[in-house]
Amino acid sequence: MRRFFPALLLFLALPGAGQNKLLEMSDKLDQLEKQDFQAALDKARLCTLRRDYDCAESALAKAAKSAGSAADRSSLTRGRLALYEEKEEEARELREAEERRLAAERAERERIAREEEEERLAEEREAEARRRQREMEEESSSPSESTAAMLTRYIQQKAAENAAILNKLNRDTAAAFAETNRRLAAQQAERDRARRDADEREADRRRQAARERDQRQAAEDRRLAAERRENERRAAEAREREREAQDRRDRAERERIAAQEKAERERQLAQQRADRLEQERRDKAAEQAERTAYLQRMAREIQLGVGKCPDGEGHYYANGTMPRGGKEVVSCIDVHYEASCPGSNIVSRGVADNFVGLSGCYGDTYKIEPRPACKVSEVRIRVVKVTEGCK
């Protein structure tokens, strides 16, 4: 309201054309803010679907700055609710995944326990069989009973023992399976109960959120209605004061014209500064382009050679000449070169610093290191690039 009231006074003080222009500017600003709001809200929805919560919260905060109407604030509230619901959904998925993992671990432990119990019983049966075999061998040497009778008694006893062991194994296995099924059923029942509780809590939360949204919307509608009434009252007071203060309007008109003229002068000065900066930029770009072209031409046209000088050590030296003609754009250059022998992969690289193009042993000479292994007349030398020198 503090921003609205001065703008209203200025609007009433303007003539008809000025009011229309101000209205057009206001409409454009509203459209831009609406576009910014919608773009931020769309980005928040996309980030929410991707579960990039920091991105979504940042976009919603940006959208909140551009929310100007009740519809915008309602859309913003829905965006925040969608973000909250997506976070809850992700948490629920993580909980269910953890429950499935724990159930799988319990089932694996029970399977391992059953296998270990079966192995233990098998070992006991094998030990008992070995013991009975020894007893049978000892009894076979006794003269009191015939071999056929002892064998018959052993077979009967062994069959009874095997039947007892098998019955015990069957009972233990059935009990283990029953216990496993009972645990799985209890776990499934617990998961079903937890899911029902979660669904009920989610339904309660959604209903509560809907009630809170309705209450906030109703409060917002009441606030907007009161704001409209207050605006209408203030506008009526402003019109009354306007009719009673014609002289103040005239002064405001003169001040407005002066402000427009000042703004126009400042705009012209700003335009002149911008034009001057743009011209300076173009001049610098042209100068840089000219320097680059000059260096590229030097790299193409500079002729380098290789020779020896009376230094007493047999070093090879690079020298060369500058091309003739053309404008000298760069006063000092460095010539980067490569020298090698025919058929060799060994390359000697160097830089002819501050090259001026005076060939011969008493002109520009640059020692080539390492010295190529071929004759000086066979050395091949080429210009790699030319850069600005005297640095």
Side-chain angles (χ1 to χ4, degrees), residues 128-263:
E128 180 65 19
R130 288 192 297 269
R131 185 184 65 78
R132 299 301 301 172
Q133 179 66 27
R134 288 194 301 270
E135 292 177 356
M136 185 182 71
E137 290 174 355
E138 293 173 356
E139 291 175 355
S140 62
S141 60
S142 174
S144 61
E145 293 182 353
S146 66
T147 302
M150 288 189 294
L151 180 61
T152 301
R153 188 170 60 256
Y154 169 75
I155 293 174
Q156 293 174 348
Q157 184 177 1
K158 185 65 177 178
E161 291 175 353
N162 289 340
I165 293 173
L166 182 60
N167 290 334
K168 183 178 184 302
L169 178 61
N170 290 335
R171 288 194 302 272
D172 292 343
T173 303
F177 275 111
E179 178 63 18
T180 300
N181 292 333
R182 185 191 65 76
R183 290 181 181 178
L184 292 176
Q187 292 171 359
Q188 184 62 41
E190 179 63 21
R191 287 195 294 273
D192 293 340
R193 185 191 63 76
R195 187 178 297 107
R196 288 193 301 272
D197 293 343
D199 292 341
E200 291 176 0
R201 288 194 299 271
E202 180 63 17
D204 292 339
R205 187 192 64 76
R206 290 177 180 272
R207 286 192 293 270
Q208 181 62 27
R211 286 193 296 270
E212 292 176 354
R213 286 198 302 272
D214 294 340
Q215 292 172 357
R216 288 194 297 269
Q217 187 61 48
E220 181 65 14
D221 292 341
R222 290 193 297 271
R223 188 188 67 80
L224 291 175
E227 185 177 329
R228 284 195 297 272
R229 290 192 298 271
E230 180 65 16
N231 292 341
E232 291 172 357
R233 183 185 67 78
R234 291 177 179 269
E237 292 178 354
R239 288 193 296 271
E240 183 64 24
R241 286 192 298 271
E242 189 275 335
R243 286 192 294 267
E244 296 175 352
Q246 183 63 43
D247 57 332
R248 289 196 298 272
R249 288 199 301 274
D250 294 340
R251 184 169 60 253
E253 178 66 14
R254 290 192 299 271
E255 292 175 354
R256 184 187 65 81
I257 294 173
Q260 287 180 345
E261 293 175 350
K262 181 181 178 181

Side-chain angles (χ1 to χ4, degrees), residues 109-125:
R109 289 196 297 270
E110 292 172 356
R111 183 189 64 79
I112 293 173
R114 289 196 302 273
E115 291 177 354
E116 292 176 349
E117 178 65 18
E118 291 173 359
E119 290 176 357
R120 186 185 64 78
L121 293 175
E123 290 175 356
E124 290 178 356
R125 288 195 299 272

Side-chain angles (χ1 to χ4, degrees), residues 272-307:
Q272 291 173 1
R273 287 194 296 270
D275 293 342
R276 184 172 64 256
L277 292 174
E278 177 63 19
Q279 186 60 42
E280 291 176 357
R281 186 191 64 78
R282 291 178 180 175
D283 293 343
K284 289 181 180 179
E287 180 183 356
Q288 183 60 38
E290 186 179 12
R291 295 169 77 90
T292 301
Y294 176 79
L295 295 174
Q296 292 174 349
R297 183 175 73 85
M298 290 296 101
R300 292 192 305 270
E301 298 180 7
I302 285 175
Q303 299 295 324
L304 294 181
V306 180

Side-chain angles (χ1 to χ4, degrees), residues 75-122:
S75 299
L76 183 62
T77 300
R78 288 194 296 272
R80 289 169 173 163
L81 180 60
L83 175 60
Y84 173 80
E85 292 174 348
E86 190 64 30
K87 288 181 178 179
E88 291 293 315
E89 178 64 17
E90 183 180 22
R92 184 185 65 78
E93 292 175 359
L94 291 175
R95 289 194 300 271
E96 291 180 354
E98 180 64 16
E99 290 175 357
R100 289 193 296 270
R101 185 186 66 81
L102 293 176
E105 289 179 354
R106 286 194 294 272
E108 181 64 15
R109 289 196 297 270
E110 292 172 356
R111 183 189 64 79
I112 293 173
R114 289 196 302 273
E115 291 177 354
E116 292 176 349
E117 178 65 18
E118 291 173 359
E119 290 176 357
R120 186 185 64 78
L121 293 175

Side-chain angles (χ1 to χ4, degrees), residues 9 38 43 48 85 111 181 185 207 240 242 248-249 260 270 320 324 328 334 343 348-349 370 373 381 388:
L9 291 178
Q38 192 60 44
K43 182 179 180 181
T48 299
E85 292 174 348
R111 183 189 64 79
N181 292 333
R207 286 192 293 270
E240 183 64 24
E242 189 275 335
R248 289 196 298 272
R249 288 199 301 274
Q260 287 180 345
R324 296 181 179 180
E328 183 183 274
D334 293 341
S348 298
R349 297 180 175 86
I381 187 168
E388 295 187 34

Side-chain angles (χ1 to χ4, degrees), residues 360-374:
C361 290
Y362 300 101
D364 290 340
T365 58
Y366 306 93
K367 186 167 66 175
I368 300 175
E369 291 183 336
R371 195 185 80 172
C374 54

